[in-house]
């Protein structure tokens, strides 16, 4: 069976039912051998499509040559063509992205834009020319960089949520090249694919050919493994989901996990990875996160978007964006923005602020300024919403009092109570923000260094 027949059979089995009657698909067309052969296969199979080409303007005249080739190809096939020209280098600098990430972002953002604004392509599927070799290379890259089972399955033939289909995935590059040769299909060659500047090219041009000298069927073997990993992933996800459902408690934008449950989970490395990976943590941070289970209160580890904070018997995964988080770690003096306002902490010698101390004692309620004994306070501090069970020693009292009772006695409304935050040091509340400090942290005649806590409500 030739490639065209195999393609058509595969299309009918996996993709035909996805395309609504009269609906066209959007083909990502670069002009390289893979996407050009896919264009011919779709055309020969009478599958209606509109081509989309991005001129990234990265290779000077070669980029313009690619565009001209794609225009000529689509004219010969009688296929509509959409073209986007963009200064990718400028985009990279503005977004601080690598070439490959920038190009991918540009490409898929544009596809989304087309499907949103073009009535003929509303909610259309995007077809890309990824094939079996691409899936092998992706699986290898994930393996070498460190990944979970999900990464080892390579590329999927379907991405349901993004509406992407990859009808060439069962076929190897050698089959695609043979089809192009047998049918006299011309295409362009991207000179950047011939260099080893990028990891994928290095694997394709150097590592895999060397492996094939020892194991000729290495790519076929890895591709078969990716298919098995795809099925293993289904069972794996079911088991992991059951474990995580027992552990994770969502509270607003945060996730709370009991320390003891996390420590007892088995296998701890695998479950930890699945727990932290959605929040931007890397595989190399797994051991650090596990160590954090026995860490000191308010200790934390962070990813680009989240922090995992040890708070007594709980691990809290919270957004770093402070206006989204209910638990904020303060590592030193400075300003901290949070949902209810701005907290400014500064350090002072008591001798330098004696006049200000007098003024503050008279007007503290107006200015929301409190002074504490710096020697009694240990960083990092934890700024968080108050919780049932919290207690402190209100200023001037030698006995502890539940925060809930203190708020009732302060005659706060239910909505006002919901806006109350506390500041904590080493498991002890040092202040109820804007209301009262803890008596254990007040300054005395023996105090030499002060912490000034100033709260400005938004």
């Amino acid at each position: 069976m030739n490639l065209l027949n195999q393609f058509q059979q595969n299309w009918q089995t996996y993709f035909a039912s996805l395309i609504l009657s009269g609906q066209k698909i959007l083909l990502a067309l670069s002009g390289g051998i893979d996407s050009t052969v896919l264009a011919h296969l779709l055309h020969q199979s009478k599958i209606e499509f509109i081509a989309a080409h991005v001129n990234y303007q990265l290779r000077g005249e070669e980029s313009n040559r690619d565009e001209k080739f794609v225009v000529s190809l689509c004219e010969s096939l009688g296929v509509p063509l959409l073209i986007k020209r963009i200064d990718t280098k400028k985009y990279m600098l503005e977004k601080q992205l690598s070439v490959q990430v920038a190009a991918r972002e540009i490409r898929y953002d544009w596809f989304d834009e087309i499907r949103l604004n073009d009535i003929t392509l509303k909610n259309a599927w995007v077809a890309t020319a990824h094939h079996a070799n691409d899936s092998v290379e992706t699986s290898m890259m994930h393996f070498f960089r460190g990944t979970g089972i999900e990464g080892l399955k390579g590329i999927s033939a379907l991405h349901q949520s993004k509406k992407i289909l990859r009808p060439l995935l069962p076929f190897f590059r050698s089959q695609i090249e043979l089809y192009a040769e047998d049918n006299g299909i011309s295409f362009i060659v991207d000179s950047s694919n011939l260099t080893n500047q990028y990891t994928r090219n290095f694997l394709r041009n150097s590592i895999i050919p060397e492996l094939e000298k020892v194991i000729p069927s290495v790519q076929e073997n890895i591709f078969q493994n990716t298919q098995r990993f795809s099925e293993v992933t289904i069972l794996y996800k079911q088991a992991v989901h059951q474990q995580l459902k027992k552990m994770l408690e969502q509270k607003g934008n945060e996730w709370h996990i009991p320390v003891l449950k996390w420590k007892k989970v088995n296998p701890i490395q695998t479950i930890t990875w699945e727990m932290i990976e959605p929040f931007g943590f890397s595989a190399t941070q797994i051991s650090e996160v596990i160590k954090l289970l026995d860490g000191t209160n308010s200790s934390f580890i962070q990813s680009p978007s989240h922090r995992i904070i040890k708070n007594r018997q709980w691990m809290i995964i919270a957004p770093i964006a402070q206006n989204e988080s209910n638990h904020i770690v303060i590592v030193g003096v400075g300003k901290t923005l949070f949902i209810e306002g701005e907290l400014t902490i500064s350090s002072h010698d008591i001798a330098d602020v004696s006049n200000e101390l007098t003024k503050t004692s008279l007007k503290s309620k107006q200015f929301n300024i409190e002074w504490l004994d710096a020697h009694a306070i240990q960083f990092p501090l934890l700024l968080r919403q108050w919780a049932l069970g919290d207690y402190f020693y209100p200023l001037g009292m030698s006995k502890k009092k539940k925060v809930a009772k203190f708020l009732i006695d302060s005659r706060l409304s239910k909505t006002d109570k919901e806006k109350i935050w506390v500041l904590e040091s080493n498991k002890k509340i040092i202040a109820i923000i804007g209301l009262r400090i803890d008596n254990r942290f007040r300054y005395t005649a023996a105090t030499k260094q002060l912490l000034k806590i100033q709260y400005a409500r938004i």
Side-chain angles (χ1 to χ4, degrees):
M1 186 183 292
N2 63 30
L3 182 64
L4 177 60
N5 290 335
Q6 291 179 64
F7 174 85
Q8 291 173 341
Q9 187 179 82
N10 189 63
W11 182 272
Q12 286 301 317
T13 303
Y14 298 106
F15 305 118
S17 62
L18 300 172
I19 314 302
L20 300 176
S21 177
Q23 188 182 46
K24 294 181 179 180
I25 65 173
L26 187 65
L27 170 65
L29 183 61
S30 68
I33 185 171
D34 305 326
S35 62
T36 300
V37 165
L38 179 54
H40 279 273
L41 291 169
L42 291 169
H43 181 68
Q44 289 292 316
S45 304
K46 295 182 171 48
I47 299 166
E48 288 194 278
F49 66 95
I50 293 175
H53 175 77
V54 181
N55 184 339
Y56 298 104
Q57 300 180 16
L58 286 170
R59 293 175 284 114
E61 187 51 41
E62 193 175 288
S63 292
N64 296 329
R65 175 211 65 180
D66 297 353
E67 182 182 318
K68 290 175 185 175
F69 173 83
V70 167
V71 169
S72 175
L73 171 64
C74 290
E75 286 176 352
S76 68
L77 296 176
V79 171
L81 172 64
L82 303 172
I83 294 175
K84 180 181 182 69
R85 298 183 188 91
I86 185 168
D87 185 343
T88 303
K89 287 183 179 177
K90 181 181 177 184
Y91 185 93
M92 287 166 54
L93 291 172
E94 289 175 351
K95 301 273 190 172
Q96 294 292 297
L97 300 172
S98 68
V99 174
Q100 290 178 311
V101 173
R104 178 181 174 82
E105 195 171 285
I106 289 167
R107 183 165 63 249
Y108 284 100
D109 284 352
W110 183 46
F111 295 159
D112 288 341
E113 184 182 330
I114 292 170
R115 292 185 288 185
L116 185 65
N117 298 322
D118 189 328
I119 190 68
T120 63
L121 290 166
K122 204 78 172 176
N123 297 319
W125 286 84
V126 172
T128 69
H130 293 97
H131 48 70
N133 299 73
D134 293 318
S135 187
V136 167
E137 292 156 9
T138 298
S139 180
M140 290 177 71
M141 285 195 298
H142 287 163
F143 178 80
F144 292 134
R145 287 173 175 167
T147 183
I149 296 292
E150 182 77 24
L152 296 179
K153 71 180 187 179
I155 300 172
S156 300
L158 277 175
H159 195 308
Q160 292 278 3
S161 62
K162 293 185 179 179
K163 299 202 74 171
I164 296 170
L165 50 86
R166 303 179 176 102
L168 289 184
L169 201 67
F171 310 110
F172 283 91
R173 186 180 293 111
S174 57
Q175 295 172 274
I176 294 167
E177 290 171 348
L178 182 61
Y179 183 83
E181 182 181 343
D182 289 347
N183 291 274
I185 296 172
S186 59
F187 52 89
I188 53 94
V189 176
D190 183 341
S191 61
S192 66
N193 288 335
L194 304 177
T195 72
N196 287 340
Q197 180 180 355
Y198 307 116
T199 304
R200 185 180 292 275
N201 287 0
F202 179 64
L203 288 172
R204 180 183 302 162
N205 301 330
S206 299
I207 300 299
I208 292 175
E210 289 299 313
L211 287 171
E212 287 178 322
K213 290 178 183 178
V214 182
I215 308 173
S217 61
V218 64
Q219 293 207 71
E220 289 84 354
N221 294 345
I222 294 175
F223 186 66
Q224 290 301 319
N225 282 337
T226 65
Q227 305 305 296
R228 284 189 283 272
F229 280 129
S230 294
E231 295 188 358
V232 168
T233 299
I234 296 171
L235 299 175
Y236 173 81
K237 282 186 171 180
Q238 290 173 350
V240 168
H241 176 72
Q242 290 300 318
Q243 290 267 30
L244 297 186
K245 191 166 70 170
K246 297 173 186 175
M247 297 173 64
L248 289 160
E249 297 179 25
Q250 187 171 11
K251 296 186 178 181
N253 290 325
E254 298 181 347
W255 293 90
H256 294 215
I257 311 103
V259 172
L260 287 178
K261 277 190 179 180
W262 195 333
K263 290 176 76 170
K264 289 178 181 178
V265 74
N266 185 37
I268 191 168
Q269 295 264 348
T270 298
I271 298 301
T272 296
W273 166 243
E274 293 298 335
M275 195 155 8
I276 68 176
E277 190 269 339
F279 303 102
F281 291 88
S282 68
T284 59
Q285 292 177 291
I286 293 173
S287 59
E288 296 176 65
V289 172
I290 292 172
K291 286 180 184 176
L292 191 64
L293 295 171
D294 293 313
T296 57
N297 202 58
S298 301
S299 54
F300 67 93
I301 184 173
Q302 68 183 48
S303 73
S305 60
H306 286 74
R307 279 180 176 152
I308 303 177
I309 305 164
K310 172 76 177 294
N311 182 31
R312 295 185 173 90
Q313 299 307 312
W314 292 87
M315 304 300 290
I316 297 165
I317 304 176
I320 287 178
Q322 294 172 349
N323 60 349
E324 298 178 11
S325 177
N326 292 331
H327 288 77
I328 300 169
V329 176
I330 300 175
V331 296
V333 296
K335 289 186 178 179
T336 300
L337 291 171
F338 65 111
I339 194 168
E340 296 299 336
E342 180 181 86
L343 197 69
T344 304
I345 300 177
S346 53
S347 179
H348 305 269
D349 289 331
I350 195 165
D352 296 335
V353 292
S354 56
N355 289 336
E356 191 176 350
L357 286 173
T358 304
K359 292 178 183 177
T360 301
S361 65
L362 296 173
K363 300 181 179 181
S364 60
K365 290 187 182 298
Q366 179 183 348
F367 291 100
N368 281 319
I369 294 173
E370 300 286 2
W371 298 89
L372 299 94
D373 187 340
H375 182 71
I377 294 170
Q378 180 182 334
F379 282 95
L381 306 180
L382 186 63
L383 178 64
R384 62 173 176 82
Q385 288 186 309
W386 76 279
L388 288 174
D390 283 344
Y391 68 87
F392 78 130
Y393 291 74
L395 182 64
M397 295 177 60
S398 59
K399 292 184 178 180
K400 66 182 180 183
K401 187 170 188 174
K402 288 285 183 70
V403 171
K405 180 68 165 62
F406 173 80
L407 298 180
I408 291 171
D409 293 346
S410 299
R411 300 183 182 277
L412 295 183
S413 67
K414 186 177 186 299
T415 54
D416 283 340
K417 288 178 188 175
E418 292 170 353
K419 297 176 182 178
I420 297 300
W421 287 56
V422 298
L423 191 62
E424 186 179 292
S425 171
N426 195 24
K427 300 185 182 180
K428 298 182 180 71
I429 290 175
I430 63 175
I432 299 179
I433 301 302
L435 290 177
R436 189 77 59 89
I437 68 168
D438 188 291
N439 195 61
R440 294 168 292 180
F441 300 92
R442 72 191 187 283
Y443 67 89
T444 67
T447 300
K448 290 186 168 75
Q449 194 74 19
L450 292 168
L451 277 188
K452 179 183 179 182
I453 299 177
Q454 187 166 356
Y455 167 54
R457 185 182 290 275
I458 293 177

